[in-house]
Amino acid sequence: MPLSPPSEKEAIFYYAGLPSGPRLVARSGIVPWSEPTGPEAYRVIRMLHPVGDHPIKEVWEDNLALKLHALLDSMKVKWTSTDVVRIGNADESYNSAPVVIWIGVIPASLSGADGVVAASKCKELLVVEYNITDVDVEIRQSIVSRSAGRKLLQMDRSCFEPTPDACSTPWAEGTGGFFITEGEDAKRLLLVTARHVVFPPEEDENKHFVRKNDSQRRHNVMLFGDAAFNNYLTDIKTEIRRKGYGAGYQEQRIERAEGSDNPRAKTVLKDAQRELDLVREAIEGLNALSQDISRDWTTPENRILGHVVLSPPISFGVGSSSEGYTEDWAVVEIDASKIDASNFDGNAIDLGTRVGIGGFAGMMNPKYRKEHPFEYPVDHLIRLKGTIPDEEMRYPPILDRDEGPYTKVIKRSSTTGLSVGRANDVFSYARYYDEDNLRAGTSKEWAILPFDSKSHAFSETGDSGAVVVDCHGRMGGLLTGGAGKTDRLDLTYATPVNFLLKRIEGFGIRAPNISPVLTT
């Protein structure tokens, strides 16, 4: 049966449930799409899954992806990303979701008719040259973007993050990635983040930056931009009011218990008094924090965290033939006066309190297997140690056959705060165009998928520079952007930390140590 472009409704609703709701352009599959019918018709919610065990994994990075890109280029397809994922219905297991080569194209750049031709030829490449018959090709409208933007900072906690939020101007904000020192030398503390966080692309000439001596002009990095600072104070005041309501509730419980003859009254009284004491203690701490910040951090000069010491230009396809990643990083030297060595937590992710202990632990270990490696930390801090091996990124251990072989990952960032996702075990390719959609660079990317069909996107605009880690606290990648129809990203892209550390050392930072310990 000859393929035809999707109907308008199929184009709109085919990917219902995905964070950005991308528009379908064409697909090679021949199974008809069924439009929901009836008075209570519901959209079929779709979900992305990692690939797992499939022959395409063995050939994708070797040469299949390159041949696919050459084929798309020969047809003048303005593709933005090529991902290999499973796409299925949310109520089905990952095993039943078919493997798909998912091609993103610049919106409105490819007609449905031309898309059908492109999808068919890509499918033919799979079948004829690789004898892969059970993988479909789907094309959707999607852009690849870097994730720094004019977003307000949204804080979940009543104290500063162990890994700070960093920005380069009073409006462009991102997230600090991770601390390093030069070997065991703790004379200066360095922070690694994305370059486009500290050098906004629209204002930057994208030249190599290195600060060699103190006579050279500093490029300062601020802990908070103006809007984020005001928003942070507002968040603290909101939290104080919220806890004030809690205090009032506990006072009412105490009043009722004191006047009650019920045998349980003493137990209720004791519990309410304990909760009231905790709330009052929290309010006292929040008030002190608000006063300290208002006194010490009001002026932009006081919010300067440090200055950039090294940042190569943003480049694509960097490294060996087996790498080819995005180079988008900067190293910031932290002002020693802004860090208290006596309570320095090093590299850590704060799990906060907004996601309950049971809920978060359940995401990490949904079937409560005793042999599962995740244990919820008593102090809410996942301390980071080591990195995820490159081989394990592609061939993760199988903890549960029903869930598939994938790595659950965590990040905390400026815009979306704490989020959990699933790392894909097949690397994606992203193509970056200039403003005129002419010149392009292509890079390999570590792709992170949403945790499930009910979760929001793993990241959004403003999250660049966040470090992505697994449940062991091992660093996997530095978040740089993602792919989606809008600011909401269907997939998040990150550059592997092992590659970054090698590049950082190659540019002169001696033996970068990701487990820094400061001496008092």
Side-chain angles (χ1 to χ4, degrees):
M1 182 177 67
L3 299 177
S4 59
S7 67
E8 181 66 14
K9 286 188 176 181
E10 180 181 1
I12 294 173
F13 295 116
Y14 187 78
Y15 294 120
L18 299 190
S20 81
R23 181 184 178 90
L24 174 68
V25 176
R27 60 189 180 96
S28 67
I30 61 174
V31 177
W33 177 75
S34 299
E35 178 183 344
T37 58
E40 295 185 6
Y42 296 98
R43 299 178 303 164
V44 176
I45 301 302
R46 308 282 274 165
M47 181 175 172
L48 303 179
H49 297 275
V51 174
D53 185 27
H54 192 279
I56 198 170
K57 290 181 65 171
E58 309 305 323
V59 296
W60 175 248
E61 288 186 53
D62 284 344
N63 52 30
L64 172 54
L66 298 181
K67 289 184 178 181
L68 183 78
H69 299 162
L71 178 59
L72 292 170
D73 291 341
S74 72
M75 293 183 286
K76 295 182 170 44
V77 174
K78 288 284 188 178
W79 65 273
T80 58
S81 60
T82 54
D83 313 283
V84 183
V85 292
R86 290 181 183 269
I87 306 179
N89 297 339
D91 57 354
E92 298 174 346
S93 68
Y94 107 96
N95 288 311
S96 62
V99 177
V100 172
I101 291 183
W102 208 29
I103 301 171
V105 297
I106 293 175
S109 68
L110 186 68
S111 69
D114 290 340
V116 166
V117 174
S120 298
K121 288 188 176 182
C122 291
K123 174 73 174 184
E124 182 180 347
L125 171 68
L126 284 172
V127 175
V128 174
E129 295 199 30
Y130 295 94
N131 196 31
I132 296 176
T133 60
D134 60 345
V135 173
D136 282 326
V137 177
E138 296 181 3
I139 302 176
R140 90 280 193 190
Q141 293 184 0
S142 174
I143 59 174
V144 171
S145 59
R146 301 190 188 104
S147 293
R150 304 189 183 198
K151 289 283 187 177
L152 298 181
L153 184 67
Q154 297 179 2
M155 304 297 293
D156 282 350
R157 300 186 62 216
S158 58
C159 59
F160 289 114
E161 295 288 294
T163 302
D165 298 289
C167 63
S168 59
T169 72
W171 54 259
E173 293 159 8
T175 304
F178 54 93
F179 293 117
I180 61 172
T181 54
E182 295 184 276
E184 301 302 321
D185 184 359
K187 290 181 180 178
R188 62 175 186 167
L189 181 65
L190 306 173
L191 174 71
V192 179
T193 188
R195 176 186 171 107
H196 71 269
V197 168
V198 296
F199 291 109
E202 62 270 25
E203 299 179 0
D204 180 37
E205 296 180 353
N206 199 31
K207 294 181 178 180
H208 181 73
F209 181 91
V210 59
R211 189 170 190 268
K212 298 179 179 179
N213 53 62
D214 291 340
S215 64
Q216 188 176 345
R217 180 176 175 270
R218 288 168 51 123
H219 184 90
N220 290 327
V221 174
M222 297 171 65
L223 181 65
F224 293 125
D226 290 343
F229 174 73
N230 293 328
N231 194 55
Y232 184 51
L233 284 177
T234 299
D235 285 344
I236 294 174
K237 293 175 182 177
T238 300
E239 185 65 19
I240 291 173
R241 287 197 302 271
R242 186 187 304 164
K243 291 192 179 299
Y245 298 144
Y249 171 70
Q250 299 302 337
E251 288 170 350
Q252 291 180 40
R253 291 182 68 201
I254 290 172
E255 183 178 351
R256 292 185 63 181
E258 287 178 336
S260 173
D261 296 329
N262 192 306
R264 293 188 63 254
K266 289 185 178 181
T267 302
V268 172
L269 180 62
K270 183 178 179 180
D271 177 72
Q273 188 61 56
R274 182 180 66 251
E275 293 295 324
L276 180 60
D277 292 342
L278 289 173
V279 171
R280 285 175 173 172
E281 182 180 356
I283 292 174
E284 183 179 347
L286 287 166
N287 280 320
L289 176 63
S290 178
Q291 293 171 7
D292 289 345
I293 292 175
S294 297
R295 181 187 66 243
D296 299 331
W297 298 80
T298 301
T299 64
E301 292 76 14
N302 288 345
R303 299 199 299 273
I304 293 175
L305 180 67
H307 61 278
V308 181
V309 294
L310 175 64
S311 183
I314 294 176
S315 305
F316 307 106
V318 175
S320 66
S321 58
S322 63
E323 294 170 332
Y325 299 120
T326 299
E327 182 139 76
D328 182 359
W329 55 269
V331 177
V332 177
E333 181 175 346
I334 304 300
D335 186 340
S337 67
K338 301 294 171 61
I339 300 292
D340 184 353
S342 64
N343 63 12
F344 176 66
D345 285 312
N347 286 314
I349 288 182
D350 185 357
L351 301 181
T353 58
R354 188 162 291 184
V355 179
I357 294 175
F360 188 86
M363 286 191 285
M364 292 291 101
N365 183 11
K367 295 186 179 179
Y368 191 65
R369 297 184 300 272
K370 292 184 178 180
E371 69 276 11
H372 195 276
F374 179 77
E375 293 184 5
Y376 197 94
V378 175
D379 59 1
H380 295 272
L381 293 179
I382 293 181
R383 288 177 167 77
L384 311 189
K385 50 190 176 183
T387 60
I388 303 174
D390 293 349
E391 182 72 8
E392 191 173 320
M393 286 182 165
R394 293 167 173 84
Y395 298 95
I398 300 176
L399 297 177
D400 190 308
R401 289 285 177 184
D402 294 332
E403 293 182 28
Y406 65 82
T407 302
K408 292 178 183 176
V409 291
I410 310 160
K411 71 103 182 79
R412 191 179 185 94
S413 54
S414 295
T415 301
T416 53
L418 180 70
S419 56
V420 179
R422 297 169 298 152
N424 197 12
D425 51 346
V426 177
F427 275 59
S428 296
Y429 289 84
R431 175 160 284 186
Y432 297 87
Y433 294 86
D434 62 13
E435 292 182 357
D436 297 322
N437 290 332
L438 296 175
R439 294 186 302 275
T442 303
S443 283
K444 194 180 298 183
E445 307 284 355
W446 189 40
I448 314 299
L449 315 180
F451 179 73
D452 58 24
S453 62
K454 300 180 180 64
S455 300
H456 297 296
F458 183 72
S459 68
E460 294 182 11
T461 298
D463 286 335
S464 274
V467 63
V468 181
V469 309
D470 69 3
C471 63
H472 300 280
R474 297 181 301 175
M475 299 184 198
L478 190 75
L479 196 158
T480 58
K485 188 181 70 175
T486 60
D487 286 349
R488 295 179 67 84
L489 304 177
D490 300 308
L491 304 96
T492 293
Y493 292 146
T495 302
V497 167
N498 290 324
F499 168 78
L500 286 176
L501 294 175
K502 184 172 70 173
R503 297 293 293 176
I504 289 169
E505 186 168 21
F507 276 97
I509 302 296
R510 180 180 54 84
N513 173 22
I514 60 175
S515 300
V517 177
L518 301 185
T519 56
T520 56

